[in-house]
Amino acid sequence: QSALTQPASVSGSPGQSITISCTGTSSDVGGYNYVSWYQQHPGKVPKLIIYDVSNRPSGVSNRFSGSKSGNTASLTISGLQAEDEADYYCSSYTSSSTLDVVFGGGTKLTVL
Amino acid sequence: QVHLVQSGAEVKKPGASVKVSCKASGYTFTTYDVSWVRQAPGQGLEWMGWITPYNGNTNYAQRLQGRVTMTTDTSTRTTSMELRSLRSDDTAVYYCARGGTHRSGWSFDYWGQGTLVSVSS
């Protein structure tokens, strides 16, 4: 089971918006609305920021939003702030027989 | 307030076993499944499996089948993950996380602080 495909890096300036893509297949991203996104600062624990494609947990800024089209899910961060600089991982339920959850390889967000 | 507190770092030799524990607090322990996710140095996240505390049901990633066992003790609200026949590529930070099954929409809402397991001769 291959990991979901994410760009290795994205960058943006403060105040701008960026989008991170997460591409899978009809067996995972495209087939179920169980895509989640996690933010991980260096040396820190991953933090859930989006679940079920587009829902935000309580306390997560509304600058973070999620969507899905076909086999590709997207995380958009609007009004970029320096504190958003981190690694971002997507995950999805998968109908694979070898595992239940598959992660993306991660995207490093740099705030210029 | 939900907390997952893991045991400390471990250094093991190839072929040995390691057991990492995860003590939960702040919620009804038997209501949520506990999953394990690992992260090799500089790498991404890898799903390892989950356990249902109220009945002990488990499901493991196929690539770890035969080497991993997850257990739970409801009296101490503790979940443990044992990995056997360690190899150098098992060196990683191991996280427990709440959820990660159909009961929680396959997302992980709270994470332990992580336990570094180093495998080296």
Side-chain angles (χ1 to χ4, degrees):
Chain A
Q1 174 73 34
S2 300
L4 304 176
T5 300
Q6 298 182 232
S9 63
V10 298
S11 63
S13 300
Q16 289 185 331
S17 294
I18 63 96
T19 296
I20 299 172
S21 62
C22 169
T23 301
T25 69
S26 58
S27 296
D28 39 64
V29 173
Y32 309 91
N33 289 322
Y34 292 128
V35 176
S36 301
W37 290 90
Y38 301 87
Q39 176 192 61
Q40 186 179 35
H41 288 105
K44 301 298 186 181
V45 176
K47 174 188 176 183
L48 177 66
I49 56 173
I50 295 289
Y51 66 95
D52 294 351
V53 176
S54 60
N55 293 308
R56 281 187 309 276
S58 174
V60 173
S61 171
N62 59 9
R63 297 186 299 105
F64 294 91
S65 62
S67 63
K68 189 184 83 167
S69 177
N71 295 337
T72 298
S74 298
L75 171 70
T76 297
I77 309 175
S78 59
L80 267 182
Q81 299 179 0
E83 67 205 49
D84 298 331
E85 186 162 296
D87 293 325
Y88 291 84
Y89 294 91
C90 62
S91 73
S92 173
Y93 168 75
T94 173
S95 59
S96 165
S97 60
T98 61
L99 73 174
D100 284 347
V101 175
V102 61
F103 284 96
T107 298
K108 169 66 177 175
L109 169 61
T110 300
V111 180
L112 302 171
Chain B
Q1 198 169 3
V2 175
H3 285 294
L4 299 173
V5 179
Q6 300 182 220
S7 50
E10 303 265 10
V11 179
K12 296 292 182 180
K13 293 193 180 302
S17 299
V18 69
K19 192 169 187 178
V20 180
S21 66
C22 170
K23 186 174 177 62
S25 62
Y27 69 96
T28 302
F29 182 62
T30 51
T31 302
Y32 292 86
D33 301 315
V34 175
S35 298
W36 290 84
V37 176
R38 69 180 180 178
Q39 185 172 35
Q43 302 300 309
L45 302 170
E46 178 187 4
W47 178 81
M48 299 180 66
W50 53 259
I51 184 166
T52 299
Y54 79 87
N55 64 10
N57 283 354
T58 57
N59 191 35
Y60 306 136
Q62 187 176 81
R63 68 190 300 264
L64 297 174
Q65 285 277 1
R67 292 206 299 137
V68 67
T69 301
M70 297 175 189
T71 56
T72 188
D73 182 342
T74 55
S75 67
T76 61
R77 304 169 59 87
T78 299
T79 298
S80 298
M81 184 283 300
E82 181 181 35
L83 190 61
R84 299 176 293 279
S85 302
L86 289 168
R87 310 187 292 244
S88 59
D89 63 355
D90 290 319
T91 294
V93 175
Y94 288 75
Y95 294 102
C96 63
R98 194 178 77 165
T101 69
H102 65 281
R103 280 176 282 275
S104 55
W106 304 99
S107 64
F108 312 95
D109 60 355
Y110 289 91
W111 295 62
Q113 83 274 22
T115 297
L116 175 62
V117 175
S118 300
V119 183
S120 173
S121 54

